[in-house]
Amino acid sequence: MTGDLERRYRRVLRLLPGWYRQQWEQDMVAAFLDSWLTGDREADEYISKVAGPSWAEVTSVAVLAVRLHLAGPGTPRRSAWGQAIRRAVLAVALMHALLAVNVLVFLMWGRRLVGWLPAPPASLVVAPGGVWDMVYYLVCLAWIVIFLTLAFGHYRTARVLAVPAIVPGVVALLQAQLTGIMPAPFGPWIFWVLVDFAPVLAMTAFHRDAPPTAPRPWLLALPAGYVLVYGPLLALQVTGNFGWLPDFSGLCCILVSLACLAHAPRARSRQATGPGLWSLTLVLLAAVAGAYRIVTLTDYLHDPHLINVSLVELLIVLAAVALVAPDAARALAATPAPPPPRPRTMAT
Amino acid sequence: MTGQAFFVLTALADGPRHGYGIVGEVAELSQDRVKLKIGSLYGVLERLAAEGLIEPDREEAHDGRLRRYYRLTRDGRRALAEEAELRAATARVVRARLRLTGAQATG
């Protein structure tokens, strides 16, 4: 009688991990059906035909599914993935923060807000902007705060700030798409999906049972990263060597490749501690950088030189990640897959 | 302890309840301010069970489907009492401050 309704709910529950469904699905279906059925045979038959999960119910199951997939109870393998994802999210937030610091430094320098600095080259002068510029600067500030709150372990605050921080980006993209002023077909969208949306979604891996992050190395990474990443880029800009400046996806490929190269000796050493978690993190970051590079190739179809440069960047990141991938695979192989859960013993 | 977990434990304080029964009880306790979706409820139940604060009580057949009832464990009862005390103490501090600032504002 209630088969149709039950089937619709079971379809939604397929979002949940198998081990969780084995334990909870039956009970969840009963609760869903309880929320609809009245006990009156005719009414229930009608309800079963027309009713189904609301968007709010589907969303609540989807949110639970994301949390369980990213941060389910601690089997070693899941814990390894969880830690790698948390480090990858912190790395992306660091990249956002570096970008933001750079934007704000240029803003202050370009508008001569710091009197003792020499006048910037004409190419770096920032003209006064409108409302969108103001929103952009606020988003930049927000990413610095998000990175710091994540590093200090205030995960909930970081999540709350991150959601509004990615909204202006998608609004601007929609506006550009609808008004036909989108500079490239896919690049800006894939930037938003991979570098804004996915990390914010993955912030669910920072659950309250997650082991705390050591803030010191991440806090040091902000000034050090700025000097190491944007120092050379600034030098190229100031000296007018714009042809050597990589685009953002190229920069991501170069940075991930350098990180893989720096980590490779440790990954290959048998004395390495923390079994392959950094290798796993770098594999995740390389996958993001590689995907971003592949999609943005389509932005350069008109320019064979840029296509060649992009392909070289892609090859470099592939070669670099190959150095740490075996260590990442060992880390996962060393941790057994979760055993199938036993049914709970129920008191009767 | 999150607000949802607090309400779920409170809903189980006077006896075992099944999933949808907990949803209804939480809505009543909170005067409809907290309306738990089933996905959210089972996220909370799974966490509370993992922390040993609740446990399955029994299963009962109802209109051809099994309803699983949950009850508080001893640790759950203790955690709920501590949380209630903490919230009450916080409320006392807030009320005292409000009285103080109210008196200053009118004085």
Side-chain angles (χ1 to χ4, degrees), chain B residues 8-75:
Chain B
V8 168
L9 290 179
T10 308
L12 297 175
D14 62 349
R17 283 195 162 79
H18 58 80
Y20 191 62
I22 296 172
V23 173
E25 187 65 15
V26 167
E28 196 175 319
L29 282 168
S30 67
Q31 296 172 324
D32 278 336
R33 279 180 292 117
V34 180
K35 291 179 179 171
L36 281 175
K37 296 289 168 209
I38 302 296
S40 316
L41 169 70
Y42 280 86
V44 175
L45 288 180
E46 184 255 342
R47 208 180 266 280
L48 293 175
E51 290 171 4
L53 302 183
I54 63 165
E55 62 189 359
D57 180 69
R58 66 186 187 277
E59 285 183 344
E60 276 184 10
H62 176 81
D63 282 348
R65 54 189 182 277
L66 273 183
R67 281 174 168 174
R68 189 184 292 172
Y69 284 70
Y70 299 90
R71 66 175 176 230
L72 284 187
T73 61
R74 189 173 296 173
D75 283 350

Side-chain angles (χ1 to χ4, degrees), chain A residues 70-71 77-87 205:
Chain A
L70 293 180
R77 184 190 286 262
R78 196 169 291 125
S79 162
W81 274 115
Q83 271 185 273
I85 289 170
R86 284 190 289 277
R87 287 178 184 183

